[in-house]
């Protein structure tokens, strides 16, 4: 049976849908879940920022992150006391608490040699992924090839299956210590001659200290069966293969990617594994590594909250488009994994010295949690703040948004969208193809960014003139799914014209068409054109996609011709010339042209020649004579210049 609170939510949902068509373009619908560090309370905010629901626990302060399962059960980490560890982000314990506040699972993983810390992630099967410290003795550190003798808090990732009120089975695990490299001692473990030749491994001698890696964010990609984690101290993001067995995860082979538990990809600070690349350090204290989910713009990109990314006074969110190739990631010969810099960057409103997270939504909006400022806010695709909530009284490590349907335990419909083509010329027609699933009696609501398009059709036809992202919300039985598709409008560069001598040259294009005084010149389709009449000349080009440019700015050409005194139809130009002298004769005429220098010496002759090449002659004065049969048409002076 539904709880009274859940029945109330269903009744409110109808009103929400009526209002959301107005607010949709501004705010992504749903409820915001957050908790203050060390607080016993977890809060759910409605779309106006008011507290909608509260979970209150006893002597169980939030350790770091809180997530929700369908139906309103929260999964939260709890901070426990452990004398072997100190510092931020420690947890050691995890609870599942239902909507009514009943603790249904309370599991602890904390001892002198290991302890849960920072983020966790709830898998689709209900199991939970955790980041955990595991201590390594000074002897173990030395044996691994480290040049220092110290105790190190290394990292592991475990998948835990809840089995009882306080029990759980570790069904999968990965240990960083199995994937090290060093090049200083051939007699110790992990030796390789080159660190940069093994980016899949972590250099045990890079900036090692007790709290060495300090992982803090974790996310899971179900389609790839891969995990991404972020490292505070090394300012890197790592991807590892979850499809491995635990034994394979401890090795360098196995799993869908075939690389065991080695790093499949790393990004943010290539100096950790490749010498001479300090300038390419992009991440500077990173949290909240995650993938942009399917259905949102740029799905599949990796996101990191870059705490000191712009400066020590300004944080940002960096988006990275990894070079994924199937289950692997390409690494071209060179110093580091691409890209060499972030794909896009979003500045935040201020500086969060630690923690923090972001979420990306299908309508292009982003929710940002500035942990140490206690601020949660939402921006649209242009970066405009459209919703904000200030939390006083402590740090808010993360904030997450959940739909009404998810909260009520309903089944969200699915929505797959594609386009008949994703790259067009301005104004071309494109059909948006939507395939819904998981429900019945669907309704559709399309919007666009930039704004201006709306439709309730399942498969509308659009004619964008600029690159546009189209977002659709699919409603079924009160539950909502949303997805988007982007259409790139290819805008050719308007060409320009330069002139050299009597020839006009168009800037680069795939094809050309010349015009005089706005009228198409038949056959004038090459990149150059030699005018035969005075006038204003312009050119239109197409690019490789077949998109037509705007016409170039016109260039005025004045033909200076010699009147040979035999009537209309004869022209000799240009005068002066840089080398090419053109002869225009009446259509039926056969003629001979002779060119003599200033001393009367004949230096060039041509029969019926339309162009005489004088470029091999010395600059100066020349005499051009034309004969038709034995009749002398005329002689004229022509100046050759350079």
């Amino acid at each position: 049976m539904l709880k009274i609170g859940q029945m109330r939510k269903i009744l409110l949902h109808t009103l929400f849908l009526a209002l959301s068509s107005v607010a949709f373009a501004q705010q992504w619908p749903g409820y915001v879940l957050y908790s203050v560090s060390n607080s016993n309370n977890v809060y759910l905010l409605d779309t106006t920022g008011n507290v909608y629901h509260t979970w209150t626990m006893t002597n169980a302060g939030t350790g770091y992150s809180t997530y929700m399962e369908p139906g309103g059960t929260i999964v939260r980490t709890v901070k426990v006391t452990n004398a072997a560890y100190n510092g931020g982000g420690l947890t050691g314990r995890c609870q599942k608490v239902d909507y009514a506040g009943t603790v249904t699972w309370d599991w602890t993983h904390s001892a002198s040699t290991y302890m849960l810390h920072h983020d966790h992630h709830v898998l689709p099967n209900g199991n939970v992924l955790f980041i955990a410290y595991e201590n390594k003795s000074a002897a173990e550190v030395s044996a691994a090839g480290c040049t220092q003798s110290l105790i190190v808090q290394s990292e592991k990732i475990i998948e835990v299956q809840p089995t009882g009120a306080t029990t759980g089975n570790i069904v999968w695990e990965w240990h960083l210590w199995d994937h090290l490299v060093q090049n200083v001692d051939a007699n110790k473990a992990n030796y390789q001659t080159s660190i940069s030749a093994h980016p899949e491994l972590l250099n045990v001698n890079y900036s090692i200290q007790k709290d060495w890696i300090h992982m803090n964010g974790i996310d899971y990609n179900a389609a790839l069966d891969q995990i991404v984690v972020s490292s505070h101290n090394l300012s890197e993001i790592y991807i590892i293969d979850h499809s491995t067995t635990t034994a394979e995860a401890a090795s360098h082979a196995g799993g869908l990617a075939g690389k065991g538990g080695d790093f499949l990809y790393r990004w943010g600070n290539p100096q950790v594994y490749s010498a001479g690349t300090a300038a390419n350090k992009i991440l500077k204290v990173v949290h909240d590594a995650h993938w942009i989910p399917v259905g949102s713009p740029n799905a599949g990109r990796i996101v990191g909250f870059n705490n000191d990314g712009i400066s020590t006074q300004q944080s940002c969110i960096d988006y990275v488009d990894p070079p994924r190739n199937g289950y692997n990631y390409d690494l071209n010969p060179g110093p580091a994994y691409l890209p060499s810099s972030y794909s896009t960057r979003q500045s935040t409103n201020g500086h969060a010295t630690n923690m923090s997270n972001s979420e990306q939504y299908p309508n292009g909006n982003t929710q940002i949690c500035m942990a140490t400022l206690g601020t949660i806010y939402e921006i649209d695709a242009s970066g405009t703040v459209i919703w904000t909530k200030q939390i006083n009284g402590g740090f808010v490590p993360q904030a997450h948004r959940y739909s009404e349907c998810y909260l009520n335990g309903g089944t969200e419909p699915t929505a797959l969208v594609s386009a008949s083509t994703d790259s067009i010329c301005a104004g071309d027609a494109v059909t948006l193809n939507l395939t819904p699933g998981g429900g019945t009696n669907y309704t559709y609501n399309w919007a666009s960014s930039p704004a201006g398009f709306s439709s309730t059709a399942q498969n509308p036809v659009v004619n964008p003139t600029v690159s546009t992202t189209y977002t659709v919300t699919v409603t079924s039985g009160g539950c909502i799914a949303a997805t988007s598709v982007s259409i790139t409008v290819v805008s050719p560069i308007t060409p320009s014209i330069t002139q050299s001598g009597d020839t006009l040259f168009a800037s680069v294009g795939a094809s050309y068409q010349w015009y005089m005084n706005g009228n198409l010149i038949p056959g004038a389709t090459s990149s150059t054109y030699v005018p035969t009449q005075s006038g204003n000349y312009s050119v239109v080009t197409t690019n490789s996609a077949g998109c037509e440019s705007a016409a170039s700015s016109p260039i005025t050409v004045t033909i200076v011709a010699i009147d040979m005194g035999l009537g209309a139809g004869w022209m000799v130009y240009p005068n002066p010339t840089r080398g090419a002298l053109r002869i225009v004769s009446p259509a039926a005429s056969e003629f001979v042209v002779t060119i003599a220098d200033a001393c009367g010496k004949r230096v060039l002759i041509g029969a019926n020649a339309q162009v005489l090449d004088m470029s091999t002659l010395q600059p100066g004065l020349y005499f051009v004579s034309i004969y038709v049969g034995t009749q002398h048409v005329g002689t004229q002076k022509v100046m050759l210049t350079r």
Side-chain angles (χ1 to χ4, degrees):
M1 287 189 62
L2 292 174
K3 303 176 182 69
I4 292 176
Q6 292 176 316
M7 293 177 64
R8 175 173 174 267
K9 284 179 278 182
I10 291 174
L11 293 174
L12 286 175
H13 185 72
T14 303
L15 175 60
F16 174 79
L17 286 177
L19 297 175
S20 65
S21 61
V22 177
F24 175 77
Q26 288 77 41
Q27 184 177 346
W28 184 247
Y31 296 90
V32 177
L33 183 74
Y34 79 92
S35 182
V36 176
S37 290
N38 299 318
S39 169
N40 293 328
N41 295 331
V42 177
Y43 300 98
L44 197 64
L45 304 178
D46 64 18
T47 54
T48 65
N50 292 320
V51 175
Y52 181 75
H53 185 74
T54 304
W55 291 262
T56 300
M57 276 61 68
T58 303
N59 298 321
T62 297
Y64 193 83
S65 47
T66 303
Y67 296 93
M68 183 185 291
E69 292 183 311
T73 291
I74 58 172
V75 186
R76 64 191 292 262
T77 51
V78 178
K79 185 173 182 179
V80 301
T81 300
N82 185 334
Y85 297 89
N86 56 61
L90 295 175
T91 61
R93 179 179 168 197
C94 183
Q95 289 182 332
K96 289 193 177 187
V97 187
D98 69 18
Y99 193 80
T102 301
V103 177
T104 60
W105 187 56
D106 196 335
W107 182 74
T108 299
H109 189 71
S110 176
S112 60
T113 56
Y114 58 82
M115 186 177 187
L116 302 181
H117 69 99
H118 286 86
D119 202 9
H120 65 290
H121 184 87
V122 182
L123 294 173
N125 61 5
N127 293 353
V128 186
L129 289 174
F130 293 101
I131 300 169
Y133 285 130
E134 59 174 0
N135 279 9
K136 297 297 176 180
S137 68
E140 289 176 302
V141 172
S142 177
C146 184
T147 58
Q148 299 186 53
S149 177
L150 74 167
I151 296 173
V152 170
Q153 293 173 183
S154 186
E155 302 281 4
K156 67 178 180 179
I157 298 172
I158 57 175
E159 178 184 346
V160 179
Q161 177 189 40
T163 56
T166 60
T167 57
N169 289 333
I170 298 177
V171 297
W172 180 87
E173 53 191 298
W174 172 91
H175 298 264
L176 174 65
W177 210 251
D178 295 324
H179 305 281
L180 302 178
V181 66
Q182 55 93 9
N183 63 347
V184 297
D185 193 336
N187 296 315
K188 291 185 178 180
N190 310 309
Y191 179 78
Q192 296 289 342
T193 57
S194 170
I195 299 296
S196 61
H198 292 277
E200 75 280 6
L201 304 173
L202 185 62
N203 182 3
V204 72
N205 287 303
Y206 183 86
S207 192
I208 194 166
Q209 56 183 309
K210 181 178 180 181
D211 186 5
W212 182 26
I213 311 301
H214 200 87
M215 289 182 175
N216 53 37
I218 186 168
D219 190 30
Y220 175 71
N221 188 315
L224 300 175
D225 203 3
Q226 293 177 2
I227 296 169
V228 64
V229 288
S230 46
S231 165
H232 178 291
N233 289 350
L234 299 190
S235 292
E236 283 196 284
I237 288 173
Y238 311 102
I239 294 178
I240 60 176
D241 193 347
H242 178 260
S243 71
T244 57
T245 64
T246 294
E248 289 172 335
S251 74
H252 311 291
L256 292 172
K259 296 184 177 181
D262 289 345
F263 299 145
L264 302 182
Y265 179 70
R266 62 197 300 182
W267 190 86
N269 183 14
Q271 62 183 282
V272 178
Y273 61 95
S274 184
T277 57
N280 291 333
K281 181 179 180 180
I282 305 300
L283 299 178
K284 300 169 184 177
V285 183
V286 60
H287 288 77
D288 181 43
H290 67 273
W291 280 277
I292 297 179
V294 174
S296 295
N298 298 313
R301 285 189 176 183
I302 299 171
V303 184
F305 193 99
N306 200 351
N307 291 79
D308 295 340
I310 296 176
S311 72
T312 55
Q313 302 298 317
Q314 177 66 64
S315 302
C316 60
I317 300 165
D318 286 343
Y319 299 77
V320 181
D321 195 2
R324 186 169 67 84
N325 183 0
Y327 292 105
N328 277 292
Y329 298 81
D330 291 332
L331 178 60
N332 295 324
Y337 278 103
L338 294 176
S340 58
S341 187
Y342 49 82
S343 302
T344 56
R345 168 171 282 183
Q346 173 65 55
S347 298
T348 62
N349 291 349
H351 180 234
T353 58
N354 233 314
M355 302 179 284
S356 307
N357 82 307
S358 69
E359 290 187 336
Q360 289 69 39
Y361 302 128
N363 65 343
N365 288 5
T366 301
Q367 179 177 278
I368 301 170
C369 176
M370 305 286 286
T372 52
L373 300 180
T375 305
I376 306 169
Y377 67 99
E378 183 179 353
I379 58 174
D380 64 15
S382 66
T384 301
V385 177
I386 56 177
W387 178 89
T388 187
K389 176 71 174 181
Q390 182 63 45
I391 311 298
N392 298 316
F395 298 158
V396 182
Q398 296 183 353
H400 303 281
R401 189 169 303 193
Y402 299 95
S403 71
E404 182 114 18
C405 181
Y406 190 93
L407 178 62
N408 289 327
T411 301
E412 301 278 10
T414 61
L416 298 176
V417 66
S418 62
S420 54
T421 180
D422 59 4
S423 182
I424 64 167
C425 304
D428 285 356
V430 179
T431 300
L432 306 180
N433 301 305
L434 172 64
T435 304
T440 58
N441 300 320
Y442 304 105
T443 59
Y444 313 102
N445 184 7
W446 289 89
S448 66
S449 178
F453 173 79
S454 62
S455 175
T456 57
Q458 179 177 348
N459 302 309
V461 176
V462 296
N463 303 84
T465 57
V466 297
S467 296
T468 303
T469 296
Y470 295 92
T471 300
V472 60
T473 54
V474 178
T475 304
S476 173
C479 293
I480 301 174
T483 190
S484 61
V485 63
S486 295
I487 306 298
T488 300
V489 174
V490 181
S491 300
I493 298 173
T494 301
S496 59
I497 301 174
T498 56
Q499 183 175 7
S500 179
D502 58 351
T503 303
L504 303 181
F505 295 84
S507 56
V508 176
S511 66
Y512 307 85
Q513 178 59 61
W514 291 88
Y515 293 80
M516 186 190 77
N517 298 332
N519 298 314
L520 183 147
I521 304 173
T525 57
S526 69
S527 61
T528 62
Y529 183 71
V530 178
T532 60
Q533 304 177 56
S534 297
N536 295 318
Y537 288 85
S538 59
V539 67
V540 171
T541 61
T542 61
N543 61 14
S544 58
C547 302
E548 187 174 281
S549 72
S552 68
S553 297
I555 185 170
T556 300
V557 175
T558 301
I559 302 297
V560 179
I562 302 172
D563 182 0
M564 303 306 296
L566 195 64
W570 288 98
M571 288 193 299
V572 178
Y573 68 94
N575 187 17
T577 180
R578 293 185 179 182
L581 188 68
R582 299 185 180 276
I583 314 298
V584 177
S585 66
S589 296
E590 294 187 0
F591 60 91
V592 174
V593 181
T594 64
I595 298 178
D597 61 18
C599 297
K601 179 182 177 181
R602 183 178 295 177
V603 293
L604 200 62
I605 187 171
N608 301 318
Q610 294 181 335
V611 180
L612 288 177
D613 183 6
M614 300 176 64
S615 61
T616 59
L617 304 178
Q618 294 297 315
L621 179 66
Y622 291 87
F623 295 91
V624 178
S625 300
I626 297 181
Y627 300 87
V628 176
T630 60
Q631 185 178 6
H632 179 217
V633 174
T635 299
Q636 182 63 45
K637 298 176 183 179
V638 172
M639 184 64 67
L640 175 63
T641 63
R642 287 289 184 265

